[in-house]
Amino acid sequence: MSSHCANEPPVTVLIQYKDGKKEEVISASVPITVEVRKKSGLQTEDPDPNTPTGGCCDVAYEVKLTYQYCALGSEPNTCSGETITAPPVELDVVGKILGTRVTQFQGTDNAIELTRRGCDGIEQKLNLIGLSSQKLVSYSIQSIARADGKPDICDPPDPEAGKCEIIIKSSNGSLIYTKTDDCPIKYKVRCGDQCAEGEIRCESNSYPGYCCTDCADLARSLRR
């Protein structure tokens, strides 16, 4: 970001866009700052590092999991008999999935708890699996995917991503001008009655008695 024309009003910003269109922005407020930057896409919220998908706060997700359990033993939180693998389970959860964990009831591992967060920022805990008279031995989240089958993108793509934006502000930070267009966006600045860098001053019969000619344009015309 560059500052221009301190104590030399008015300031004229000459802008040239990729398609050849040109615009002039004139301001009596000096100095001004001019910035051209490339726009990035909308940022999405990163999902939990332990769950590669499930990062949108307002989307329904299908959670697929498997788990193993056993009959309770005579000692707290122990097994009696062999471990049994339950059929795969599919459940729907709406919201950003923050994580899962095993929870206990009366000292026995018997449930899988999932924490979700809605767009209102409120977190809620849901029981994916709850066993009444068995002990949960282990579980595995097989997949988390959008129920509608679409890619797990939380925000719509930004149609202006990859384009350039020119921003002109006054000395107090007030916005004077901004526009987004195809890159590159070029500009030059004239302060007061001075020509911009890369221009030469020529006498003129029309107001204000002089004109500014681009040196590169002049050189190209002389070579023809």
Side-chain angles (χ1 to χ4, degrees), residues 18-56:
K18 183 179 180 180
D19 62 2
K21 291 183 299 185
K22 295 182 180 181
E23 292 187 26
E24 287 189 13
V25 178
I26 301 173
S27 174
S29 175
V30 294
I32 62 163
T33 59
V34 184
E35 178 184 13
V36 175
R37 64 187 181 194
K38 193 170 185 178
K39 297 192 69 174
S40 59
L42 294 173
Q43 298 301 307
T44 60
E45 191 173 16
D46 291 332
D48 184 271
N50 297 318
T51 55
T53 56
C56 304

Side-chain angles (χ1 to χ4, degrees), residues 101-105 108-113 127 129-131 136:
R101 70 185 185 100
V102 174
T103 59
Q104 290 189 341
F105 177 72
T108 299
D109 295 337
N110 73 336
I112 302 171
E113 181 185 83
N127 272 348
I129 294 295
L131 306 176
L136 179 67

